[in-house]
Amino acid sequence: MTKDLEGSRILITGGAGFIGANLVEACLRRGAGRVAVLDCLTYAANPLSLAWARQQKAFAFHQADVVDLPACKKILAEVHPDWVFHLAAESHVDRSIEQPLPFVRTNVQGTASLLQASLLHWQALPQSSQDRFRFVHVSTDEVFGSLEQDGYFREDTPVAPRSPYAASKAASDHLVRAYGHTYGLPYSMTHCGNNFGPYQFPEKLIPLMILRALQGKSLPVYGQGINIRDWIQVEDHCQALLQVAARGRAGQAYVIGARNDRPNLEVVEEICEVVDRLGLTAPGVRQSRDLIRFVEDRPGHDFRYAIDPAKLERETGWRPQREFSQALHETVLWYQENQPWVEECEKSYAGQRLGLGLTSPGGKSS
Ligand code: NAD
Ligand code: DAU
């Protein structure tokens, strides 16, 4: 893997977000020659996530909106990437329930602009560079909809998105396939499950529960906590993305998962156990699980996601390296030890419930 990356020039959109910042670090640590980020710094970006990267000579940051075609063209011309990893997106399902339109703008129109700029860049490359180029579109398993108790998402699972977020990602996937089919743009597409680990914005289940448990606040579990998600530590996801760029076939999709499908309640209870075992139980709380509260369900809540990553494993040799419980333990410690990073997030989000329905343009729950 290191050999594949040495000297490579890489553009990562959404690189100031959760997965993007982890991918930036993975690329720099593996000796990439140039790692550039294109990000417009929404609420979900945290400048502290790129603090280490900014100290590296190979790193460059471009503040730009992925919808802005001239800006995308300019950045591609400057970075001259071998690989583009497209992660910039509105990523939170609950926010898409409150306000769908920003998801259409960034996820659909933004992907269209980046594709257009990437195609023009690719068409102007000499043959040898054209052969090496890859547009890696980072999609989600949510485009496949919801599973019942049995079965797994695979690459040929029919597309059936059910939230505005998932629908906008599925629309962007169609555009990527169309650019590949019509113009020959060499792309690979990935559909990963739920990530967790350092730098995840605390609107998502795992960091929200960790921070609220540490602060002695209630832990809001939607519905009965029986919905199932398939979890992967973010660094394992990043290694999978690099394997797809290096060894995946152009024009192919890969589902990414680490075979960790669990009900939400089980995940929240395990977070509580870790917090207590580490001696971090909040003052006045007997045990952290006493903080769990069952709250009104998410509208249209998908029941189960579960991934069969056999194609990725077979074709690229990727295997997840991190065991779920150990990674969860390390994640609790990370949030406890990175208070300045947490405070930066709290400037834009105070941990309130999101996603019970459409909101006013001002963003307040109706
Ligand atoms: P995130 O919300 O943490 O970060 C998104 C980043 O994109 C932020 O830095 C934000 O500033 C940037 N961005 C948003 N709109 C932009 C715009 N118009 N122009 C430029 N930059 C913009 O998201 P994440 O959780 O890191 O997810 C990254 C990608 O991976 C997304 O495409 C998401 O759909 C996909 N994905 C996420 C998960 C997960 O569990 N988090 C799983 C599978 C796939
Ligand atoms: O599956 C991949 C997707 O995973 C990504 O594409 C998305 O970008 C990412 O946000 C994530 O979507 P989810 O909706 O699954 O993640 P979230 O962390 O919001 O919720 C996980 C589960 O936990 C879900 O069943 C809803 C539930 N939940 C969530 C929150 C925030 C709760 O029970 N309580 C909560 O407070």
Side-chain angles (χ1 to χ4, degrees):
M1 162 63 72
T2 309
K3 198 163 162 279
D4 296 317
L5 269 183
E6 257 167 33
S8 298
R9 302 180 67 85
I10 296 170
L11 176 64
I12 300 173
T13 73
F18 163 46
I19 301 170
N22 280 283
L23 185 61
V24 166
E25 284 198 17
C27 293
L28 288 168
R29 290 192 196 282
R30 286 175 175 273
R34 192 77 177 149
V35 181
V37 163
L38 183 168
D39 199 301
C40 73
L41 302 179
T42 67
Y43 79 93
N46 190 324
L48 296 179
S49 306
L50 293 174
W52 177 81
R54 283 182 189 278
Q55 291 164 9
Q56 315 306 310
K57 264 214 201 86
F59 180 75
F61 182 80
H62 302 266
Q63 185 167 358
D65 190 327
V66 76
V67 174
D68 182 347
L69 177 60
C72 290
K73 282 187 189 165
K74 188 165 169 279
I75 292 164
L76 276 155
E78 216 170 299
V79 178
H80 209 68
D82 304 303
W83 295 343
V84 174
F85 290 95
H86 179 36
L87 289 91
E90 290 293 342
S91 71
H92 193 37
V93 173
D94 287 333
R95 287 184 197 261
S96 83
I97 293 167
E98 291 194 356
Q99 296 197 42
L101 298 188
F103 286 71
V104 176
R105 181 187 180 276
T106 290
N107 300 359
V108 185
Q109 208 184 323
T111 300
S113 294
L114 188 71
L115 277 170
Q116 181 73 8
S118 299
L119 177 65
L120 296 170
H121 167 76
W122 176 74
Q123 284 178 332
L125 292 174
Q127 185 69 49
S128 60
S129 308
Q130 276 198 343
D131 293 345
R132 181 163 169 69
F133 184 86
R134 191 65 59 89
F135 184 100
V136 180
H137 180 60
V138 180
S139 185
T140 168
D141 63 347
E142 298 201 10
V143 300
F144 301 124
S146 182
L147 293 165
E148 299 297 328
Q149 284 294 354
D150 298 321
Y152 291 91
F153 292 142
R154 298 195 178 83
E155 290 73 11
D156 59 358
T157 302
V159 173
R162 295 163 24 123
S163 72
Y165 162 71
S168 69
K169 292 294 288 188
S172 72
D173 297 355
H174 284 310
L175 282 166
V176 173
R177 282 188 287 265
Y179 269 67
H181 180 77
T182 307
Y183 308 110
L185 182 72
Y187 76 87
S188 297
M189 186 176 309
T190 64
H191 303 278
C192 190
N194 287 60
N195 284 226
F196 69 103
Y199 306 136
Q200 185 168 32
F201 192 85
E203 62 192 351
K204 309 279 165 57
L205 180 73
I206 288 185
L208 184 69
M209 296 298 146
I210 293 174
L211 292 176
R212 291 184 70 93
L214 293 174
Q215 294 159 0
K217 294 181 178 164
S218 65
L219 306 178
V221 172
Y222 298 171
Q224 295 303 306
I226 55 173
N227 299 65
I228 293 169
R229 295 293 181 269
D230 197 345
W231 296 96
I232 183 170
Q233 207 276 354
V234 63
E235 290 155 68
D236 274 335
H237 180 196
C238 292
Q239 292 312 319
L241 293 177
L242 294 174
Q243 287 291 86
V244 165
R247 308 214 195 294
R249 286 180 288 147
Q252 292 286 313
Y254 296 89
V255 301
I256 302 175
R259 298 188 175 88
N260 281 315
D261 45 313
R262 286 153 198 257
N264 293 333
L265 183 59
E266 197 178 301
V267 173
V268 176
E269 285 175 340
E270 189 163 346
I271 291 169
C272 293
E273 280 164 28
V274 177
V275 168
D276 294 349
R277 210 180 317 125
L278 286 166
L280 297 171
T281 317
V285 174
R286 196 175 60 86
Q287 49 175 357
S288 297
R289 60 183 304 154
D290 294 345
L291 297 167
I292 293 174
R293 300 284 179 276
F294 295 101
V295 299
E296 185 178 343
D297 210 350
R298 170 186 283 176
H301 199 173
D302 284 343
F303 174 59
R304 174 170 171 262
Y305 304 149
I307 289 158
D308 174 6
K311 177 181 173 186
L312 175 74
E313 293 175 339
R314 196 174 58 245
E315 291 194 12
T316 75
W318 173 85
R319 296 284 183 286
Q321 301 298 313
R322 287 148 183 97
E323 194 272 321
F324 178 79
S325 294
Q326 176 61 24
L328 195 63
H329 177 100
E330 287 165 13
T331 304
V332 171
L333 279 177
W334 190 90
Y335 280 89
Q336 200 256 334
E337 288 165 358
N338 284 274
Q339 199 49 36
W341 186 93
V342 171
E343 282 165 19
E344 191 63 36
C345 296
E346 284 169 349
K347 289 180 189 166
S348 52
Y349 176 60
Q352 71 276 22
R353 174 76 196 262
L354 299 169
L356 284 173
L358 275 181
T359 60
S360 66
K364 292 253 178 339
S365 287
S366 49

